[in-house]
Amino acid sequence: MSVEIPAVCVEGIEKSFGSLSVLKGLGLTAHSGDVVTLIGSSGSGKSTFLRCINLLEQPDGGTITINGELVRTRQDRNGKWQPADRRQVERIRSKVGMVFQNFNLWPHMTVLQNIVEAPVHVLKIPRQQAEEEAHALLRKVGLADKPGHYPSQLSGGQQQRAAIARTLAMKPRLLLFDEPTSALDPELVGEVLRVIRQLAEEGNTMIIVTHEMQFAREVSSEIMFLHQGRVEEKGAPEIIFKEAKSARLRQFLARAAGGPGAD
Amino acid sequence: MGIPYVGSAFWELWEAGWPAAILRGASVTLAIGLCSICLGIVIGTIGGLVKWARLFPFTLAIDGYTTLIRGVPELLVIYLLFFSSAEFVSQVTAAFGYGGADDSAYGFVVGTVAIGVISGAYSVEVVRGALVAVPRGHIEAGRALGLSRGRIFRRIIAPQMLRLAVPGMNNIWQSTMKDTALISVVGLQELMRISSIGAGSTRQPLLFYAVAAVVYLGITIVSQIVFGVIERILNKSNRAG
């Protein structure tokens, strides 16, 4: 039996903003094909934790290992931890895709230009090939007729799907979703969840932060419930949703089931 | 003073060559305006970038400069630059064998530098504000995709910064055009000075100053049209479909 290197292994992550300690020693391990969903109240640190994984936030402690490669850090003059090697960070980020709550498409570029920018300039893929692949991705997310459109001409759901296509263009080994549907009108949420579900079914390794409990239940291989910067409970979806041990978690799930935007 | 009076006197003035002089003055005004706004844009871009990137201790120098120039009346800035440098420049030109430098060329250079320095001081804040206004999420998306910092600046930040800086720069341009009138105090033959000379020598101040106002307004109106076009071009991707 071979031991497979985890796609991502994060241990002991700590993060404070000033005097406010947001993450107090969080860890997560995901193997290829796993879909881990992080749930919890606002302020529990879910987004911050996710953003530490691709180093958009620099943790104050802990280790991050992506595909067996440990992110090297060093301390700067003020004692704060910084990545030791910017090239390593850029390289790792090119293999870890992130989908943001606010899509973050670049407004002065068309959808096609948004998608090919990174493959052409980071992966050095020839523009022609990158454009062909971009068209294929647009077909995949249901936006085949939109390559020449500007983001402002698309609905929220279309923009998020375009953003997902942009992330997929880099052929990432790990996909991070930071509340991908929280900024969408309710009727647009479904089309985005459909795309994310398809990605999960295709065997992508994904870490998702979401409030969509039903979706989390259907798609995840593991659910982690965060509370005040720590993992309160984690396990397979059936267990978490049916037989949660923690009272806080049961309360959280009850509220979430009670209506949209609970907590 | 009635309309017929002005009408009949107009032909005398035409004969005396005043309209041509007014046009000459207006072209000098425009030339100063354009040269100084270029200088101002260069200063503003460098200063704005330095402040945005928080490059200490250069930020202190920029702050000192903008506080000084914005805190002192423009007229005073022009006087200070003119009188402090007159001595220096005449010594330098004498050393180079150009003794007796051309007055108007000198006034032009000092005037341009003075107005350029003034518009630069205001431009620093416009550029910095535009850089800060680029949504952080756009930059994060670039970082998350593994784009290099240079790439992010050139492809994501700079284009949006240009668009965001245009309204502010429009204001500074208008202000710069009006500041050129202050150079008349150092004797440069731009529009304001020509108008005062004309007003004095023909004893028809209202006529000349009214004409000057019309010319300045004409420049303003053309500028507004140009800026409108620039804004439309830069914003074409932003209009909701």
Side-chain angles (χ1 to χ4, degrees), chain B:
Chain B
M1 195 158 58
I3 307 289
Y5 171 77
V6 170
S8 65
F10 184 74
W11 289 111
E12 291 171 21
L13 297 171
W14 190 278
E15 297 295 306
W18 281 112
I22 296 276
L23 277 175
R24 256 201 320 277
S27 61
V28 173
T29 290
L30 257 177
I32 296 185
L34 288 168
C35 292
S36 356
I37 198 77
C38 287
L39 177 59
I41 288 175
V42 169
I43 296 176
T45 303
I46 295 174
L49 279 168
V50 165
K51 284 207 67 175
W52 174 72
R54 286 181 230 167
L55 296 176
F56 197 85
F58 299 106
T59 48
L60 284 179
I62 306 282
D63 281 339
Y65 157 71
T66 58
T67 305
L68 177 69
I69 303 293
R70 294 191 298 176
V72 169
E74 278 93 337
L75 194 53
L76 205 40
V77 172
I78 292 170
Y79 278 148
L80 284 169
L81 261 165
F82 188 78
F83 293 118
S84 67
S85 59
E87 261 303 299
F88 174 73
V89 170
S90 67
Q91 281 172 358
V92 167
T93 52
F96 276 95
Y98 281 111
D102 187 320
D103 257 335
S104 73
Y106 179 67
F108 185 94
V109 170
V110 170
T112 300
V113 169
I115 306 288
V117 159
I118 292 169
S119 78
Y122 290 97
S123 301
V124 165
E125 217 21 59
V126 168
V127 170
R128 192 191 69 85
L131 284 166
V132 162
V134 176
R136 236 179 124 224
H138 296 174
I139 301 173
E140 284 187 349
R143 290 167 68 203
L145 286 162
L147 292 173
S148 69
R149 288 201 303 206
R151 191 101 230 145
I152 291 177
F153 185 81
R154 266 176 295 141
R155 287 288 278 156
I156 298 168
I157 299 177
Q160 300 206 65
M161 181 269 273
L162 282 173
R163 176 176 58 84
L164 291 161
V166 167
M169 289 312 297
N170 187 349
N171 271 352
I172 292 181
W173 164 252
Q174 300 298 349
S175 193
T176 297
M177 277 317 296
K178 296 202 293 181
D179 286 347
T180 59
L182 298 169
I183 314 273
S184 57
V185 304
V186 303
L188 183 66
Q189 308 270 1
E190 43 68 63
L191 179 57
M192 196 64 216
R193 179 119 188 91
I194 304 265
S195 311
S196 330
I197 294 173
S201 78
T202 65
R203 285 193 254 277
Q204 294 183 70
L206 184 59
L207 174 65
F208 274 88
Y209 290 139
V211 168
V214 167
V215 176
Y216 278 115
L217 256 173
I219 295 176
T220 299
I221 290 172
V222 172
S223 307
Q224 286 302 96
I225 294 172
V226 171
F227 270 99
V229 168
I230 294 177
E231 245 182 275
R232 239 196 320 280
I233 293 174
L234 288 177
N235 273 295
K236 77 169 153 69
S237 50
N238 271 47
R239 269 167 296 140

Side-chain angles (χ1 to χ4, degrees), chain A residues 2-19:
Chain A
S2 62
V3 177
E4 194 195 314
I5 300 174
V8 56
C9 179
V10 168
E11 286 170 336
I13 296 295
E14 289 164 11
K15 176 74 185 168
S16 302
F17 291 106
S19 57

Side-chain angles (χ1 to χ4, degrees), chain A residues 6 18 28 41 49-50 67 89 130 132 134 142 154 168 211 223 228 245 247 255 257:
Chain A
L28 180 156
S41 316
F49 182 47
L50 197 73
N67 263 314
V89 171
E132 280 164 18
L154 303 179
L168 293 173
H211 291 299
I223 302 212
Q228 284 179 357
K245 291 193 214 75
R255 266 195 317 221

Side-chain angles (χ1 to χ4, degrees), chain A residues 15 67 98 107 130 137 167 176 179 182 194 247 254 263:
Chain A
K15 176 74 185 168
N67 263 314
M98 182 167 237
L137 285 169
T167 308
L176 307 175
E179 302 205 33
S182 295
R194 239 194 317 277
D263 82 352

Side-chain angles (χ1 to χ4, degrees), chain A residues 105-106 109-121 123 125 127 129-139 141 143-144 146-149 151 154 158-159 161-171, chain B residues 145 147 155:
Chain A
L105 291 171
W106 302 312
M109 295 160 69
T110 62
V111 165
L112 189 71
Q113 287 169 338
N114 262 273
I115 296 178
V116 302
E117 178 74 13
V120 167
H121 292 110
L123 301 179
I125 293 177
R127 184 164 284 268
Q129 182 188 344
E131 287 187 0
E132 280 164 18
E133 292 174 3
H135 282 294
L137 285 169
L138 285 172
R139 269 196 298 278
V141 301
L143 293 172
K146 303 273 187 237
H149 282 67
L154 303 179
Q158 290 169 327
Q159 287 185 55
R161 286 185 277 143
I164 293 175
R166 178 175 68 173
T167 308
L168 293 173
M170 292 293 284
K171 307 189 182 86
Chain B
L145 286 162
L147 292 173
R155 287 288 278 156

